[in-house]
């Protein structure tokens, strides 16, 4: 979609949809939201809907940072401790690696 | 016109290339196929054996024929990782430990072309422990006096280095193809051999070994993961090992006539053994197991030939052949467990005719044969358990007296000089462990330590016991000796079963059958005796080498070696009826088991003089009993058990074992080629960007 051809109200609507969508365990949607509308919300000269867009984007940014931190923590923990957790780790794994404890 | 000729040339060129094509791969690698690998196994607490990395282990080949070669690698060798190509005399535990600890070795190839060249006075190699089956015997169990525990009074296997029970994380393979070994050594001499103690420079001859094992850690982990159903993919990580015990009673029994206490004589032997390497060049256990089960088969043949009237008036004799004994007494522990739980031989089933149930209290005498091929001066030793002897004195003495009175030929049966010596590792220990005081004797060729310096190794082969590789009808001296032992045992059992008989002299073991069995079980399965006990189609599929004595993974079918023990036992002791048989039409098979009868079992054999369409139907009471450790019984698994064997074998993919040799260039050359490739990629990106940017100029239509 080429943002140049979309009206400002539609842009705000899109931004809002992405923002709401991110709450359904879709942090990547927030990240894309932030990247895609960054130019519109922070660099372009002010327009009517820009204030609201800025709010959405900042919240999206915070959300995706939190999610990234949480995922990185969990992934590190799991990778380091999977062998040590024994049966519990096997119960929550989809694929158990072969040949290593 | 021009375009057409161009196309013609193009097509012809393709055809030419196709016809004379050599795969690039074949110009780089030479495959090594004649090898067997060391595999991974688990028990309740440990992982043993070897495995390569998922993508294989690579290394520069270094040939070791002596200790100085090993030292060179440890002190000088600059091109790590290496793959050691070792002569068997150098493949010993201290050397392997040094190599693995140095971190310079990523794999080992052991040369194994001609074992008879290796077997000599000074070379000992037994990968089993010094105290085999230590924690699962009678003397290391609870409440037993500790002086005998853990081989306290006699170390049975002094040649043991325990290599089979160690965990190596490098692949170890055994090469048996002479051409390939010569190729490897030549490759080493051409490219790798150090000159004046200095290493050659790249390119060097290198090898890549694959033997990736799926399982890890221990039995509870891999069994749990195998049985897990919540994953995306269903994987098998390991399988419990086991097979089937073969047993029979001389006269058929029926559960409607229960056995009286102390009314059964049991004669037992072990079928299996193992070696470090899997499948090809198996442990045949020539001295360790074959000598004893073949002797027991001969005893069964001699007693099986008795008249039915005589058999009816005798105490019943039960012959038992145990599988899986080398891995913590799998077969015998299961039989004892079943006997204690009233489910031997079968789980009680009211709808079927079943043999009489046997419990431990029904056993009057227990005689086990174990390691009989290295008898010196005709002395066969009778081992008696010192702890239960005071309570079983009468019967044990009776058993010993009858054995000593029945001696035949040059055989003498003696007790070991040292009184109060424990019983060696044998299935009998499991019967003792049951706390029922079973009177028993274990007969062996060794007084204290084993005579066999290659116990449970790839060297426990026919060469060790002087069996000829070529088929000859002239009986070997070993066959004569085993026949004398068999005659002794058969007459002793007969006198025990029929104390007032006077005709025991008529019982003789058949020397030529023993000679045949030694050849068939240890050298080549495709032999006249084996061909006669199977059907025509089966005889065409007989192996041209011997069958593996390793117990293998427990499944619904019996392994090949045990199957022939079963068939021979049936042939020797069963009723043969001449019958018509159509090999290809299974539905017309008259000669098969009925579902409701668990006493008699049937199989078809073509006989010594095969005739098309005809043969013998054998009806016998030879039975198979599961030799599956009680720790793996469905519904009551205990994978952490310290009472029963918990051995499992790792799974691997069907293409798991491969090895190849190639010439390895120096790391610098490899980096240069890689960087060159990256440069080409970047250049082409730049060029295509440039073309894209100037497209309107370059591709204008004028």
């Amino acid at each position: 979609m080429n943002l140049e051809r979309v009206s400002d109200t539609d842009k705000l609507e899109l931004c809002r949809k992405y923002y709401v969508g991110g709450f359904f365990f879709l942090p990547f949607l927030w990240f894309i939201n932030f990247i895609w509308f960054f130019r519109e919300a922070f660099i372009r000269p002010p327009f009517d809907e820009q204030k609201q867009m800025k709010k959405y984007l900042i919240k999206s940014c915070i959300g995706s940072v939190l999610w990234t931190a949480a995922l990185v923590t969990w992934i590190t923990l799991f990778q380091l401790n999977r062998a040590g957790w024994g049966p519990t780790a096997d119960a929550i794994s989809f694929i158990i690696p072969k040949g290593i404890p | 016109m021009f375009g057409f000729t161009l196309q013609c040339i193009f097509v012809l060129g393709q055809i030419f290339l196709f016809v004379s094509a050599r795969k690039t791969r074949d110009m780089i690698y030479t495959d090594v196929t004649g090898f067997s690998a060391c595999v991974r196994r688990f028990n309740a607490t440990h992982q043993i054996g070897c495995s390569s990395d998922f993508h294989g282990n690579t290394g520069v080949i270094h040939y070791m024929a002596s200790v100085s070669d090993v030292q060179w690698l440890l002190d000088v060798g600059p091109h790590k990782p290496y793959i050691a190509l070792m002569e068997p005399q150098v493949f010993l535990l201290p050397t392997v430990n040094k190599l693995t600890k140095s971190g310079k070795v990523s794999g080992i190839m052991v040369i194994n072309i001609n074992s008879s060249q290796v077997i000599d006075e000074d070379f000992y190699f037994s990968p089993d422990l010094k105290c085999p089956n230590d924690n699962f015997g009678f003397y290391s169990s609870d409440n037993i006096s500790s002086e005998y525990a853990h081989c306290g009074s006699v170390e049975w296997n002094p040649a043991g280095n325990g290599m089979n029970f160690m965990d190596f994380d490098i692949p170890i393979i055994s090469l048996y193809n002479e051409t390939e070994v010569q190729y490897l050594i030549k490759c080493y001499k051409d490219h790798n051999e150090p000159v004046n103690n200095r290493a050659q420079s790249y390119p060097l001859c290198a090898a890549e070994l694959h033997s990736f094992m799926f399982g890890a850690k221990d039995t509870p982990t891999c069994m749990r993961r195998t049985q897990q159903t919540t994953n995306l993919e269903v994987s098998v990580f390991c399988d419990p090992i086991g097979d089937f015990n073969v047993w029979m009673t001389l006269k058929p029994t029926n559960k409607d006539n229960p056995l009286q206490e102390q009314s059964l004589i049991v004669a037992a032997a072990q079928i299996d053994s193992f070696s470090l390497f899997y499948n090809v060049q198996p442990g045949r256990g020539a001295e360790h197991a074959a000598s004893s089960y073949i002797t027991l088969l001969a005893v069964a043949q001699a007693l099986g030939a008795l008249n039915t009237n005589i058999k009816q008036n005798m105490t019943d004799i039960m012959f038992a052949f145990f599988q899986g004994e080398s891995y913590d007494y799998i077969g015998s522990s299961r039989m004892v467990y079943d006997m204690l739980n009233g489910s031997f031989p079968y789980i009680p089933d009211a709808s079927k005719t079943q043999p009489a149930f046997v419990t431990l209290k029904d056993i009057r005498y227990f005689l086990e044969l174990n390691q009989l091929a290295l008898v010196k001066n005709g002395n066969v030793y009778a081992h008696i358990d010192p702890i239960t002897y005071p309570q079983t004195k009468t019967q044990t003495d009776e058993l010993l007296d009858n054995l000593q009175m029945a001696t035949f030929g040059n055989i003498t049966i003696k007790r070991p000089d040292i009184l109060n010596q424990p019983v060696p590792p044998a299935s009998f220990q499991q019967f003792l462990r049951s706390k029922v005081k079973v009177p028993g004797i274990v007969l062996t060729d060794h007084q204290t330590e084993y005579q066999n310096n290659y116990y449970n190794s790839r060297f426990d082969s026919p060469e060790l016991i002087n069996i000829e590789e070529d088929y000859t009808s002239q009986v070997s001296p070993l066959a004569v000796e085993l026949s004398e032992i068999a005659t002794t045992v058969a007459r002793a059992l007969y006198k025990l079963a029929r104390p007032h008989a006077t005709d025991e002299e008529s019982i003789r073991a058949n020397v030529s059958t023993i000679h045949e069995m030694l050849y068939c079980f240890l050298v080549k399965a495709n032999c006249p005796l084996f061909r006669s006990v199977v059907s025509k189609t089966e005889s065409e599929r007989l192996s041209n080498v011997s069958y593996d004595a390793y117990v293998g993974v427990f499944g619904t079918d019996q392994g090949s070696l045990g199957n022939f023990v079963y068939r021979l036992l049936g042939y020797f002791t069963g009723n043969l009826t001449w019958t018509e048989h159509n090999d290809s039409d299974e539905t017309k098979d008259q000669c098969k088991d009925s579902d409701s009868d668990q006493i008699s079992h049937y199989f078809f054999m073509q006989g010594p003089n095969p005739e098309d369409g005809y043969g013998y139907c054998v009806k016998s009471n030879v039975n198979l009993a599961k030799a599956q450790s009680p720790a793996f019984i469905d519904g009551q698994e205990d994978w952490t058990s310290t009472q029963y064997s918990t051995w499992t074998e790792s799974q691997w993919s069907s293409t798991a074992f491969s090895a190849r040799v190639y010439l390895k260039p120096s790391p610098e050359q490899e980096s240069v080629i890689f960087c060159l490739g990256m440069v080409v990629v970047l250049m082409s990106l730049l060029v295509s960007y440039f073309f894209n940017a100037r497209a309107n100029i370059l591709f204008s239509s004028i």
Side-chain angles (χ1 to χ4, degrees), chain B residues 158-199:
Chain B
N161 52 38
M163 278 178 85
N164 193 53
F165 297 97
M166 294 185 175
D167 186 21
F168 300 105
D169 35 304
I170 55 171
I172 302 181
I173 69 175
S174 152
L175 304 165
Y176 58 82
N177 184 328
E178 177 141 22
T179 333
E180 288 173 349
V181 170
Q182 296 306 328
Y183 177 84
L184 282 165
I185 296 179
K186 180 170 186 304
C187 189
Y188 167 79
K189 290 205 156 83
D190 289 342
H191 302 275
N192 296 15
E193 192 163 27
V195 171
N196 290 335
N197 231 28
R198 293 210 352 239

Side-chain angles (χ1 to χ4, degrees), chain A residues 30 43 63:
Chain A
W30 279 340
I43 296 185

Side-chain angles (χ1 to χ4, degrees), chain A residues 90-91 93-94 98-101, chain B residues 213-214 216 224-225 228 231-232:
Chain A
D90 287 344
S93 297
F94 271 131
K98 296 189 163 100
I100 54 170
Chain B
M213 300 285 125
F214 288 170
R224 183 189 69 232
R225 288 179 179 176
Q228 191 124 14
N231 311 82
L232 266 183

Side-chain angles (χ1 to χ4, degrees), chain B residues 91 132 145 159 190 233 328 432 526 534 599 612 664 677 680 695:
Chain B
F91 182 65
S145 104
D190 289 342
E233 51 172 22
D328 295 338
L432 288 172
N526 195 350
V534 291
I599 302 180
D612 254 340
K664 188 177 196 292
V680 167

Side-chain angles (χ1 to χ4, degrees), chain A residues 82-101, chain B residues 40 47 51 212-217 221 224-225 228 230-233 235-237:
Chain A
R82 188 191 56 81
W85 285 341
T88 13
D90 287 344
I92 58 177
S93 297
F94 271 131
I95 295 177
I96 301 177
K98 296 189 163 100
I100 54 170
Chain B
R40 193 178 261 176
Q47 168 181 296
S51 170
F212 181 66
M213 300 285 125
F214 288 170
K217 196 154 170 230
T221 310
R224 183 189 69 232
R225 288 179 179 176
Q228 191 124 14
T230 53
N231 311 82
L232 266 183
E233 51 172 22
S235 300
V236 182
F237 289 86

